[in-house]
Amino acid sequence: MSKIVKLKKGFDIKLVGKANQELADFAPAQTFAIKPTDFVGLQRPKVLVNEGDTVKAGTPIMFDKAMDQVIYASPVSGEVVEIKRGEKRKLLEIKILADQTISHEDLGKADVASLDRDALAAKIAGSGIWPNIIQRPYGVVANPTDIPKAIFVSGFDTNPLAADYGFTLKGEDKYFQAGIDALAKLTSGKVHLNLDGASTPPAVFANVKNAEINKFSGPHPAGNVGIQIHHLDPINKGEIAWTVNPYGVVQIGKLLLEGIYDASKIIAITGSEVTKAAYVKTFSGACVSTFTKGNLNSGHVRVVSGNVLSGEKISLDGFVGFYHNQITVIPEGDYEEFLGWLKPTTTKLSFSKALGIFSFLHKGEFKVDTNTHGEERPFVVSGVFEKVLPMDILPTYLFKAIVSEDFDEMEELGLYEIIEEDVALCEFVDPSKNDLQELVRNGIELLMYS
C-alpha cells in the first residue's frame, strides 16, 4: 500500500548557482573515463582492453574477479588512450578518446515477459548497466544471484543544486516504464518509486505502473533513498534490498527496447563559480574541462563531481563520476579566519542557532566555499545529529560504536541502514568537524569483512 511520509528533521542548503533549465552549447567532451574507484566494493578489477584498442559503446572494459558476471563497459566508442595506475598498480582510470559519432555494440533487444528472472539478470549484468544497481546494506554493487526483498527508486533529489529529473529525463517515459517492469521481475517483493510529495511529479514518473508509488516531503535528506527505505521497509540483519537511480532505470529500459548500452546523460553544471549554470548533454565519465574552460568566475575553485555534501573532489580536467549527474564549482576556502565564528554575519550559512540566527536574516541563496570554519577537535555530544537525520536511530552513539569497533553495537544502532550519503548532512553540521562519511564507510567495511 502506498505511503505518504512527512519528515520534519533535516536542513535544506540553498546555494547560489542552480542550473537554468536549458541545454548549453558547450563543445562536446572528447575524452571519457571509467574510474574503478567509483564502484564501492569492486575488489579485484580485471582489465579486458589494452591501450590502442578500439571499442564501441557497450564493449566490455573490465570486470571484478570476485563477481565476474558483472561487466563494466565503455560509455562511448573510440580508442583506449590510457590505462592509468597508481601505487601498487592500483587501477585508477581507463581513458577513451571518443569518436565524433558514437557507435554501439548490438546487445540484442529482449522482451521482459519472455525471460525468466535469472536470464534477465544475466542480460543486464553483461551489458555494463548492472553497476547502477546498489545493494543495501553496505552500498555496494549488487550481486545478480541475490534476490532482494524489495527495490527502491528515489524520483527526486534534495541535495544542494541537484539536477531536476523532470528536465534530465524528459521524453524517456517508455524506457523508464520498461526498466521498472524489469526490476519488478528481479525482486521477490515490490518496486517502490518514491516521489516528492510537495510538488507535481515529472511526466516521466506520472503514469508509472508495476510499482508502488510513495510520497515524501520535508527538508533534505528526504530525497535520499536510504531515508526512504527506513520509513518504508527497514533493513534488518540478513536482509537485502536494492536501489537504482532513475537514470539507471532508463538505461535498463533502453537495453531491453533498443538492445544497446546508452550512456548518454544530461548533467547539470552548477555552483557560484560558473559563469553559465545550465545543463549539458554528454556521456557518463565525461572530462569536465570542456564545461569549465572559459566558464569560471575565478581560477581558485573546487570542482566537485556530484553535490557539495557527498560528491567527489576532482581536478579541472577530471571526469564525471559514474553515479553523478551534476558538476558543482565553488570557491576554495583555504584561508585562516581569526575568531570567524564569533563575528555576527548574515552571509554565512549555518545550522547552528549561535550563528544561524543571523543567517536567517539572509534572504535567498548563499555563496559558500570549502572552508570548514574550524579544525577537527574532540568528539562532543551536542545532539545536533539527531536534528538533521530523520531516522529512528541514535547517530551519535553509532559513530562512537564505529570508532571503538564495537561490532554488536554497530549492528544494533543501525549501521545496516545507512551509507555515506545518509550522514553527509550530519558531517556538515558537526561542530567537531569529523569526517563522518569516511567513518561510516570504515564501519561498513569492518562489518563486511569481519
Side-chain angles (χ1 to χ4, degrees):
M1 182 177 178
S2 299
K3 290 185 178 181
I4 298 176
V5 180
K6 297 181 180 180
L7 303 176
K8 295 183 179 180
K9 295 181 179 180
F11 184 54
D12 284 327
I13 300 176
K14 299 178 181 180
L15 302 183
V16 173
K18 190 171 183 64
N20 296 318
Q21 290 199 1
E22 60 180 10
L23 284 177
D25 56 351
F26 294 110
Q30 296 182 336
T31 308
F32 298 80
I34 298 174
K35 300 183 291 184
T37 52
D38 286 343
F39 309 105
V40 178
L42 182 62
Q43 299 178 36
R44 295 179 292 162
K46 170 66 176 179
V47 180
L48 299 173
V49 294
N50 297 307
E51 292 182 1
D53 285 357
T54 300
V55 297
K56 293 182 179 181
T59 298
I61 294 294
M62 65 178 185
F63 66 90
D64 186 353
K65 292 180 181 178
M67 194 163 59
D68 57 9
Q69 66 269 49
V70 176
I71 292 297
Y72 298 79
S74 172
V76 294
S77 60
E79 179 187 354
V80 178
V81 291
E82 183 181 3
I83 299 175
K84 184 177 180 181
R85 296 184 181 272
E87 294 182 3
K88 298 182 180 179
R89 291 188 54 77
K90 179 181 179 180
L91 183 62
L92 301 178
E93 294 172 344
I94 301 175
K95 297 182 183 179
I96 300 167
L97 181 63
D99 296 331
Q100 290 187 350
T101 302
I102 304 301
S103 57
H104 297 81
E105 296 280 4
D106 184 1
L107 302 174
K109 301 178 183 180
D111 179 12
V112 173
S114 66
L115 297 176
D116 62 26
R117 193 265 174 203
D118 291 340
L120 177 60
K123 182 170 184 61
I124 300 173
S127 68
I129 297 171
W130 189 271
N132 284 288
I133 303 177
I134 302 299
Q135 174 195 297
R136 294 291 187 105
Y138 307 139
V140 297
V141 175
N143 190 324
T145 62
D146 292 334
I147 300 180
K149 70 171 184 175
I151 298 177
F152 298 84
V153 180
S154 178
F156 68 110
D157 191 344
T158 52
N159 280 292
L161 304 177
D164 183 348
Y165 286 132
F167 185 83
T168 61
L169 299 180
K170 186 177 181 179
E172 306 283 14
D173 309 38
K174 69 175 183 179
Y175 299 118
F176 187 82
Q177 181 62 65
I180 290 291
D181 293 340
L183 293 176
K185 202 162 190 175
L186 295 177
T187 175
S188 59
K190 300 177 181 178
V191 175
H192 294 268
L193 175 59
N194 307 319
L195 303 178
D196 185 357
S199 61
T200 302
V204 67
F205 305 137
N207 300 304
V208 171
K209 301 176 182 178
N210 213 11
E212 184 169 286
I213 310 299
N214 307 291
K215 294 190 175 181
F216 284 76
S217 60
H220 181 70
N224 281 15
V225 70
I227 305 299
Q228 297 164 6
I229 293 173
H230 175 82
H231 289 276
L232 295 173
D233 190 4
I235 299 170
N236 299 308
K237 184 176 182 179
E239 295 181 333
I240 289 176
W242 289 352
T243 69
V244 191
N245 62 56
Y247 171 71
V249 178
V250 169
Q251 279 193 312
I252 293 172
K254 288 184 177 179
L255 169 67
L256 299 173
L257 298 181
E258 307 293 340
I260 60 172
Y261 170 44
D262 184 3
S264 64
K265 62 167 57 174
I266 295 176
I267 65 173
I269 311 300
T270 67
S272 62
E273 296 309 291
V274 294
T275 305
K276 188 174 185 179
Y279 290 86
V280 61
K281 187 168 185 179
T282 184
F283 295 86
S284 180
C287 181
V288 302
S289 62
T290 303
F291 315 130
T292 56
K293 187 176 181 180
N295 191 34
L296 299 179
N297 293 325
S298 69
H300 196 49
V301 297
R302 172 82 58 91
V303 181
V304 180
S305 176
N307 63 75
V308 293
L309 288 178
S310 59
E312 174 194 9
K313 176 184 175 182
I314 60 175
S315 63
L316 284 169
D317 58 354
F319 298 89
V320 181
F322 181 86
Y323 299 103
H324 297 149
N325 59 357
Q326 172 187 0
I327 297 296
T328 311
V329 186
I330 59 176
E332 275 289 3
D334 50 354
Y335 56 86
E336 295 293 332
E337 190 177 32
F338 179 68
L339 296 182
W341 58 277
L342 282 178
K343 299 175 184 176
T345 176
T346 62
T347 61
K348 281 186 180 178
L349 172 65
S350 175
F351 180 75
S352 169
K353 296 298 182 184
L355 183 62
I357 189 172
F358 296 102
S359 67
F360 290 151
L361 299 175
H362 181 97
K363 302 298 182 182
E365 301 159 335
F366 288 85
K367 179 178 178 179
V368 302
D369 56 35
T370 63
N371 197 298
T372 59
H373 305 293
E375 67 282 342
E376 187 174 343
R377 51 185 74 106
F379 204 117
V380 296
V381 179
S382 63
V384 69
F385 302 144
E386 288 75 8
K387 296 178 181 178
V388 297
L389 184 62
M391 301 176 77
D392 188 22
I393 64 175
L394 301 172
T396 301
Y397 294 99
L398 173 58
F399 298 147
K400 289 192 171 186
I402 297 173
V403 171
S404 61
E405 299 187 6
D406 188 327
F407 288 76
D408 292 336
E409 285 290 294
M410 284 190 279
E411 292 179 356
E412 292 175 7
L413 290 169
L415 187 55
Y416 288 121
E417 294 200 60
I418 63 172
I419 61 172
E420 294 93 322
E421 67 177 22
D422 298 316
V423 300
L425 194 55
C426 292
E427 184 175 296
F428 174 77
V429 302
D430 182 15
S432 298
K433 315 299 179 183
N434 290 296
D435 192 344
L436 299 178
Q437 295 183 72
E438 182 181 356
L439 178 67
V440 164
R441 177 49 54 185
N442 291 340
I444 288 173
E445 292 184 352
L446 283 172
L447 287 184
M448 283 179 64
Y449 303 120
S450 62

